[in-house]
Amino acid sequence: MKDEELEYIAVQRKPAVNLSPDCIALTNKRVIFCRPKTFGLSMEFQDYVWKDIYDCHMKEGILGAEFSLRTVNRQTNKIDYLPKAQARKLYTIAQEQEEKQRAYRRQLELEDKRAAAGNISVTTGAQPQQAATPQTDDPLSALQKLKTLLDNNLIEQSEFDAKKAEILSRL
């Protein structure tokens, strides 16, 4: 994919003879499971975009470790018999990506709440701004919406005061 960079690849190491081991690749955009089929003559790839992954887990055992993931749709996938050092590295990278996705989801949730609370347009990294409204809007209704935003800590007192002054100046 465009701007995609490979972060890490881990290869399965089963205790028995394994001519075509499974492997897992982590990139900055997705997780890719690679599994050989038909005695290594073909490959099956399953990939998951980071935004669709809910969480990742690692479990260490005597003969190796297991790395598993769960999607936001409750699907699961796992790979076992990974060398413990490789599984730890996978887990570290996955935790970093999970944290980025949690922050992104929180930002989207906050923007949705702000948009639902009033006639506010929100852009990431910028101060909330009131969307252009026709002059026929009821000023009392607009002030009530602003007060609701302030009461829910979605805007600061200074933003409330500025918008209030703007609305009152239109009267």
Side-chain angles (χ1 to χ4, degrees):
M1 292 174 56
K2 184 179 179 184
D3 299 326
E4 185 172 27
E5 295 178 18
L6 183 64
E7 300 277 335
Y8 195 73
I9 297 175
V11 180
Q12 187 180 53
R13 191 173 297 146
K14 289 187 176 181
V17 175
N18 190 9
L19 299 176
S20 298
D22 294 354
C23 65
I24 183 170
L26 300 184
T27 73
N28 60 332
K29 294 192 177 205
R30 58 191 168 145
V31 176
I32 305 166
F33 286 86
C34 306
R35 293 191 168 92
K37 297 294 178 191
T38 59
F39 304 107
L41 297 174
S42 64
M43 294 290 284
E44 176 184 82
F45 296 96
Q46 296 172 304
D47 65 330
Y48 302 90
V49 181
W50 281 112
K51 71 177 183 72
D52 295 334
I53 296 175
Y54 183 72
D55 61 3
C56 296
H57 296 282
M58 182 194 71
K59 181 170 45 173
E60 289 188 10
I62 295 172
L63 300 175
E66 175 185 281
F67 180 84
S68 62
L69 65 80
R70 183 172 50 147
T71 66
V72 292
N73 297 332
R74 304 287 186 221
Q75 295 175 335
T76 59
N77 203 340
K78 67 181 177 179
I79 187 169
D80 54 5
Y81 295 108
L82 292 170
K84 293 177 185 179
Q86 290 182 16
R88 288 180 192 132
K89 181 73 173 174
L90 284 174
Y91 185 70
T92 301
I93 294 168
Q95 291 302 301
E96 291 170 2
Q97 287 292 339
E98 277 184 49
E99 186 57 37
K100 288 178 187 176
Q101 292 305 313
R102 279 190 206 104
Y104 177 72
R105 286 185 197 116
R106 278 193 299 267
Q107 182 67 29
L108 287 179
E109 201 174 291
L110 180 61
E111 289 175 6
D112 288 344
K113 285 180 181 178
R114 284 182 175 175
N119 205 4
I120 303 290
S121 171
V122 179
T123 57
T124 305
Q127 292 293 327
Q129 297 177 351
Q130 186 170 355
T133 57
Q135 293 293 340
T136 59
D137 277 357
D138 179 27
L140 182 59
S141 174
L143 288 171
Q144 288 172 341
K145 286 179 185 178
L146 279 172
K147 179 67 172 149
T148 302
L149 290 173
L150 179 65
D151 292 342
N152 291 326
N153 294 324
L154 295 174
I155 62 172
E156 296 177 8
Q157 182 68 42
S158 59
E159 294 171 297
F160 173 78
D161 293 337
K163 293 297 178 184
K164 178 181 168 185
E166 180 184 320
I167 292 169
L168 293 176
S169 71
R170 285 189 268 153
L171 292 178

